[in-house]
Structure formats: C-alpha cells, structure tokens
Amino acid sequence: MTWAAPYVGLPFKDGGRTAAGLDCWGLVRLVYSEQLGLDLPDFAEIKAGDTRRVSRAIADAIDTDEWIPVIRGAEQPFDVVVMRGNEGRSSMSRHVGVVAPNGRLLHIEEHVDAVLPLMTSPTVSFRISGIYRHHALA
C-alpha cells in the first residue's frame, strides 16, 4: 500500500477542495498539503468546465520558478502531470494529476472518482503534455 491508496475513490466535485469532493487541482492540492506539507494556490474560482481559464491557470502556474520541467521517463512520485482533456484531440492542457509509485498516476475527473491507472495506460499516456516537479522537491 502506498501513500496514494487512501485517495482512490474520492468523489469528483467541480471546484472541490476537500476529501468530500475534489476537482483535479483540488486533488493535487490535497496530496501536496497532506503528504508534503506544501500549500499550493487554490484556483477554486475556476470551474473545471471553463477549459480556457483552467488551461491558463495551469500554464501560469507551471511557468513560474516553483515548477521544474521533468523529462518523461524521469518522473518521480509527487511530480505533477499536466494533461490534455479526456477527448485527447485538443492540444490544450486542462487537467492535472500526481505521479504515484509504481508508474501510476493519481487523478480525478468529472464522472470519474479518483483513480490510479498506469501512466502507460492507453487512456492516459497520449494525453500527457508535460511533467513538473515542485522546486521544494528538487
């Protein structure tokens, strides 16, 4: 059992920031707070359906000195994975998850409670647009 297991099955809630209901950024924030003692920006005012604002917030957050790009294949637990939407056709990054042990990705989406698929899974791999490590973990 890893640190990620207790998060599996947590319910999706747009703008959610507690274990009672989370969106993708809320899950990242919760993991960082509970597991690492790091507080990340909230972004709760941005709803998951507002893909342009979500994309902009993600891009703005990773374009700071707080996040270091990681080469795919060199990711470590707690790195943040930035992904395209679940239809995969868009190049717009608008979803995030957290690298978990054993090549897995902890993430949550609308209509899907928090899950731990393999990062190489066909439902995940093609959507990954970047991986970033918080400077406190470097």
Side-chain angles (χ1 to χ4, degrees):
M1 185 156 158
T2 72
W3 60 261
Y7 298 97
V8 173
L10 291 178
F12 177 87
K13 180 181 178 190
D14 197 4
R17 294 294 180 263
T18 71
L22 301 155
D23 60 18
C24 62
W25 183 252
L27 180 59
V28 170
R29 285 188 80 240
L30 184 65
V31 167
Y32 266 61
S33 176
E34 291 183 353
Q35 300 298 318
L36 303 171
L38 294 172
D39 292 323
L40 299 178
D42 192 316
F43 303 134
E45 74 281 2
I46 303 173
K47 300 298 179 197
D50 189 351
T51 58
R52 287 185 193 268
R53 289 188 70 201
V54 170
S55 298
R56 190 167 300 131
I58 291 169
D60 288 349
I62 62 178
D63 284 341
T64 69
D65 291 340
E66 286 190 60
W67 297 97
I68 302 160
V70 174
I71 296 170
R72 195 158 179 188
E75 62 272 354
Q76 298 174 5
F78 301 109
D79 287 345
V80 172
V81 176
V82 178
M83 303 167 70
R84 293 181 283 280
N86 62 7
E87 74 287 342
R89 293 180 302 259
S90 171
S91 62
M92 189 182 307
S93 296
R94 59 182 185 212
H95 181 57
V96 292
V98 181
V99 174
N102 304 316
R104 298 200 173 265
L105 173 70
L106 177 65
H107 75 114
I108 190 169
E109 294 184 89
E110 192 170 12
H111 308 300
V112 180
D113 292 342
V115 293
L116 262 177
L118 288 169
M119 288 183 58
T120 56
S121 164
T123 61
V124 172
S125 183
F126 78 100
R127 295 175 58 193
I128 296 172
S129 59
I131 302 171
Y132 298 86
R133 184 166 300 138
H134 194 275
H135 73 90
L137 305 177

